[in-house]
Amino acid sequence: MTKIQEYKIEPIYASGDYGRQAIILRDKILSDAKLLPKDSKTDENKWEWCNFYQNVYIYWYLILQDMFEGAFVASMDDNTANENAGWFTYPRKHRIHLGKADDYKTIDEYNAAVYNKYFDSFFNFTVSSELVNKYFIEAKTAYKEGKYYCTVCSLFPIIEYYSRLLSAYSSEDGNFTQRTALNAILERIPKWPSVPSISIDYFTNEYRKIKDFMLDNYYKHSKQEDPEPQFICRHRLLHGIITRDVTASDCLRLFLIIRSFSYLERLFVVAEKLIKYNSLTLQTEDRLLFGDEEYEKLIADLLQ
């Protein structure tokens, strides 16, 4: 009898069941990793490895389902007022509330209070590029010091880093534009056969709203003689024609855009892992084929 058994997904009854099972399976995989035989050549040992990698595949499947389900559940609540004001708090299932919104004069005042209080926990993610992450840390430091102009000037290049990364932009594609990149990102959102199409549609719609707001406001062309727009405009900011102070709310809105892009990158990574560990390859792939370095990376990924 094999020591490592294939995980059987339990029935899904409520929101969050995918995520809860993923946590259980993650612990099982980490425990099973200690039981794996080094010699995978025998038939018995081969099945130990096959079941192990099959469980890794199931783990990433559960994570993907949880991410899409989160978009579907979050979209059941009307967030129009926040979105119209540029407060895109996706993934919204992690939305933080601070008392009653009626206690604050404006929606900006309320959101600024929320994200200032929980700034460190809400923006504690790491940008995938080590260099860009260093700039992200500098931007957070500048924000805490009240240097809002410096902050937004630092955040726009980080947003554009994600635009290029998530759109898979290549110099062979021609001139880079935000419009082209953001539209390409929407097209790259995976349409996994086992994920209900309605969940994928809700997830995609969340990012379509972000894309539309960015193009209509942050990346809208503006001439010097034009009235100062309500929302920060990259063109006016970087060309020295802005005529108002940069505020904490301006910065926080951009931080939230970066957070949403970071979450979307996570989705792309999960989809890639599902392809890598799909059941068609698990019959032949074992630690010897993956190599010790790849195997160690696999375990490290699960520990994140």
Side-chain angles (χ1 to χ4, degrees):
M1 182 177 179
T2 58
K3 299 177 183 178
I4 299 174
Q5 301 296 314
E6 181 181 332
Y7 182 81
K8 303 298 182 183
I9 299 177
E10 297 178 1
I12 304 298
Y13 295 114
S15 173
D17 281 354
Y18 284 115
R20 282 187 283 272
Q21 290 196 59
I23 294 173
I24 294 171
L25 180 53
R26 173 182 174 274
D27 292 340
K28 170 179 168 53
I29 292 171
L30 294 176
S31 297
D32 288 346
K34 301 175 183 178
L35 304 175
L36 282 169
K38 292 184 178 181
D39 182 6
S40 61
K41 295 179 180 180
T42 66
D43 289 341
E44 181 180 358
N45 288 351
K46 177 180 179 180
W47 283 109
E48 300 283 6
W49 280 97
C50 286
N51 287 343
F52 177 78
Y53 283 118
Q54 178 68 11
N55 286 339
V56 173
Y57 171 82
I58 295 172
Y59 170 80
W60 291 115
Y61 164 82
L62 291 170
I63 293 294
L64 187 73
Q65 289 280 15
D66 183 60
M67 295 181 78
F68 277 119
E69 180 193 54
F72 177 69
V73 173
S75 298
M76 294 179 181
D77 295 329
D78 184 16
N79 199 46
T80 303
N82 275 307
E83 290 167 353
N84 288 342
W87 296 98
F88 290 97
T89 54
Y90 193 75
R92 279 194 273 137
K93 67 176 181 177
H94 298 133
R95 171 74 170 152
I96 300 173
H97 295 279
L98 186 67
K100 296 181 179 179
D102 294 341
D103 295 338
Y104 298 86
K105 294 180 181 179
T106 67
I107 195 169
D108 284 357
E109 183 180 320
Y110 171 68
N111 279 286
V114 169
Y115 297 115
N116 280 331
K117 182 172 183 178
Y118 298 103
F119 185 87
D120 287 334
S121 60
F122 212 77
F123 302 112
N124 67 346
F125 57 90
T126 301
V127 179
S128 51
S129 163
E130 183 177 351
L131 178 62
V132 178
N133 188 61
K134 182 178 72 172
Y135 299 149
F136 184 55
I137 293 172
E138 290 179 2
K140 289 191 287 186
T141 300
Y143 177 79
K144 291 179 180 180
E145 294 175 353
K147 300 174 182 177
Y148 301 143
Y149 182 87
C150 294
T151 302
V152 294
C153 286
S154 299
L155 294 179
F156 272 114
I158 299 173
I159 289 174
E160 286 156 35
Y161 158 78
Y162 270 117
S163 295
R164 291 173 183 269
L165 175 70
L166 299 178
S167 66
Y169 169 78
S170 168
S171 58
E172 297 178 356
D173 298 332
N175 293 332
F176 175 84
T177 69
Q178 278 295 321
R179 184 174 300 277
T180 300
L182 294 175
N183 284 325
I185 291 171
L186 286 178
E187 294 298 321
R188 292 193 67 226
I189 292 178
K191 297 173 176 58
W192 208 264
S194 57
V195 178
S197 60
I198 189 171
S199 296
I200 298 175
D201 290 343
Y202 273 101
F203 189 97
T204 304
N205 190 50
E206 291 282 346
Y207 283 92
R208 180 176 291 108
K209 288 184 287 188
I210 293 174
K211 182 262 296 184
D212 290 343
F213 188 89
M214 290 176 65
L215 294 177
D216 291 342
N217 295 281
Y218 301 146
Y219 287 93
K220 184 177 181 180
H221 182 74
S222 180
K223 296 181 180 179
Q224 182 172 339
E225 60 271 18
D226 291 340
E228 190 68 43
Q230 177 183 358
F231 301 105
I232 199 76
C233 172
R234 177 190 181 277
H235 183 80
R236 297 184 68 84
L237 179 80
L238 299 184
H239 288 278
I241 57 176
I242 189 170
T243 58
R244 68 168 175 85
D245 287 335
V246 178
T247 67
S249 293
D250 291 324
C251 301
L252 291 169
R253 288 188 184 96
L254 297 184
F255 275 119
L256 288 169
I257 294 292
I258 293 172
R259 180 176 182 271
S260 293
F261 279 173
S262 174
Y263 190 75
L264 186 55
E265 182 188 12
R266 167 74 169 168
L267 176 75
F268 288 174
V269 169
V270 170
E272 289 173 359
K273 290 182 183 297
L274 267 174
I275 295 172
K276 182 174 183 177
Y277 299 113
N278 73 76
S279 57
L280 295 178
T281 63
L282 292 174
Q283 299 302 315
T284 57
E285 290 181 336
D286 56 26
R287 183 171 183 175
L288 296 179
L289 292 176
F290 272 93
D292 286 346
E293 182 179 351
E294 182 64 25
Y295 168 77
E296 297 299 336
K297 285 172 59 179
L298 183 155
I299 299 300
D301 285 344
L302 291 171
L303 288 171
Q304 291 180 354

